[in-house]
Amino acid sequence: MFNTSNESSDSSDSGSPHALTAYGWDGGWADAFAPYAAQGLVPGRVVRVDRGLCDVVTPSGTVRADTELVTPRDPMRIVCTGDWAAVDAEGDPAYVRTLLPRRTALVRSTSSKRSDGQVLAANADHAVIAVSLAAELDLGRVERFTALAWESGAQPLLVLTKADLVSDPAALAHLVSDTGTAAPGVRVLPVSSATGEGLDELRALLASGTSVLLGQSGAGKSTLTNALVGWAVQDVHAIRDSDGKGRHTTTTRDLLPLPTGGVLIDTPGLRGVGLWDAEGGVAQAFAEIEELAERCRFLDCAHRAEPGCAVLAAIDDGSLPERRLESYRKLLRENERLAARTDARLRAEMRRDWKQRQALGRHMMERKRGPMRKP
């Protein structure tokens, strides 16, 4: 039986959950797992998922586990890299029996017409957004990724990769400033995996907790991952000269221990980043607009032509870029459309379930009555 108390123990004991400390195990997870210890299950963290199986690191080592027993109808509850789980490790393969409640979840909308959410990573403390300086800076995409990160519950961090390609210090400072304007309250750090610029600072920021690395293909995520981990864990391919975009060199989401502490979840490049139920994340990503809106004359001000609009006044005096307001409106509209589709889907599912229950009720009533006699 595993000791799940908060009391410290020898972390070198491979049979103790404290062997999972390097992967983020703490007293909170011990408390969440306690009910499953009595069932003979062991705690573990999912470090990779593929084809209905997952790799789970447990106190006794990494096991290959089947996820069939916890495959739900709700795609938001599918086993994901970063999840903590209660595992039946006795069989071959082992089985994930249940997932512990997630503290955070990075979710985007799928491209399906069902308007489902897709969990990219679970239980992350930091969301590291990689933005390549090898291509023109897309502030709208920065805002989108930042909203996604805020909504997850993780702390966003913007990393401007390939900083060695910007030789002029003044130009680099300008890019950092522009990025910071598009992400109020988020730290912006220029780094170069080629020269090592900014890597020590980044390692220090990620030395505790779980970090998830996000960004487009070609943003330098795989190269950055290799630099942080200290060896080539991911393949690296050259980007296209025509548009600065790259191919998917990372095809799975892997959780990797960092030599300086903490763990990193590397993710495949995201070509599309749709928001999913991210109203709170949009509000945080555009915190200055939300703050201005509180000073508008009307509570339901749409910030278009209303008198006494503090947001429009800020645009007029130059303190708020008009581009920011347009981006804010765009993301809110997108989120509202998705919410409407989701509500419609839920209503349709409820109607379908109701019809199925109604049909079942009629069937059972007919069985109870027996076959009708012919006159």
Side-chain angles (χ1 to χ4, degrees), residues 30-102:
D31 291 341
F33 176 76
Y36 305 105
Q39 302 174 26
L41 304 179
V42 299
R45 192 162 197 193
V46 178
V47 297
R48 182 187 175 99
V49 179
D50 58 278
R51 298 185 296 276
L53 297 173
C54 63
D55 293 337
V56 186
V57 60
T58 73
S60 300
T62 301
V63 299
R64 188 72 165 161
D66 197 310
T67 65
E68 179 183 3
L69 299 180
V70 290
T71 300
R73 289 180 60 185
D74 182 0
M76 293 285 287
R77 295 299 302 162
I78 292 175
V79 176
C80 180
T81 302
D83 271 322
W84 285 95
V87 183
D88 180 354
E90 296 298 323
D92 185 17
Y95 280 92
V96 174
R97 292 290 179 177
T98 190
L99 298 181
L100 303 187
R102 291 166 177 159

Side-chain angles (χ1 to χ4, degrees), residues 294-307:
E294 293 179 358
R295 303 206 296 265
C296 291
R297 181 183 301 176
F298 303 107
L299 293 176
D300 59 348
C301 183
H303 320 307
R304 294 194 178 277
E306 296 86 348

Side-chain angles (χ1 to χ4, degrees), residues 65-223:
D66 197 310
T67 65
E68 179 183 3
L69 299 180
V70 290
T71 300
R73 289 180 60 185
D74 182 0
M76 293 285 287
R77 295 299 302 162
I78 292 175
V79 176
C80 180
T81 302
D83 271 322
W84 285 95
V87 183
D88 180 354
E90 296 298 323
D92 185 17
Y95 280 92
V96 174
R97 292 290 179 177
T98 190
L99 298 181
L100 303 187
R102 291 166 177 159
R103 293 178 182 175
T104 65
L106 192 78
V107 184
R108 69 167 177 175
S109 67
T110 65
S111 58
S112 70
K113 295 181 180 179
R114 285 177 52 84
S115 303
D116 291 325
Q118 177 193 16
V119 182
L120 300 175
N123 301 310
D125 303 292
H126 313 284
V128 183
I129 304 165
V131 180
S132 173
L133 294 181
E136 184 177 356
L137 193 60
D138 186 342
L139 296 181
R141 186 169 293 274
V142 167
E143 290 161 340
R144 180 178 292 273
F145 271 101
T146 302
L148 187 80
W150 279 125
E151 184 63 34
S152 75
Q155 172 67 46
L157 170 64
L158 279 157
V159 173
L160 303 184
T161 63
K162 309 181 185 182
D164 56 289
L165 299 181
V166 184
S167 57
D168 183 1
L172 180 59
H174 182 72
L175 291 169
V176 171
S177 176
D178 281 353
T179 306
T181 301
V186 178
R187 187 164 185 171
V188 182
L189 180 65
V191 303
S192 169
S193 299
T195 66
E197 177 186 354
L199 287 180
D200 286 343
E201 187 175 355
L202 181 58
R203 291 188 185 101
L205 291 172
L206 307 185
S208 63
T210 299
S211 303
V212 57
L213 185 57
L214 306 168
Q216 284 185 289
S217 299
K221 295 192 289 29
S222 296
T223 303

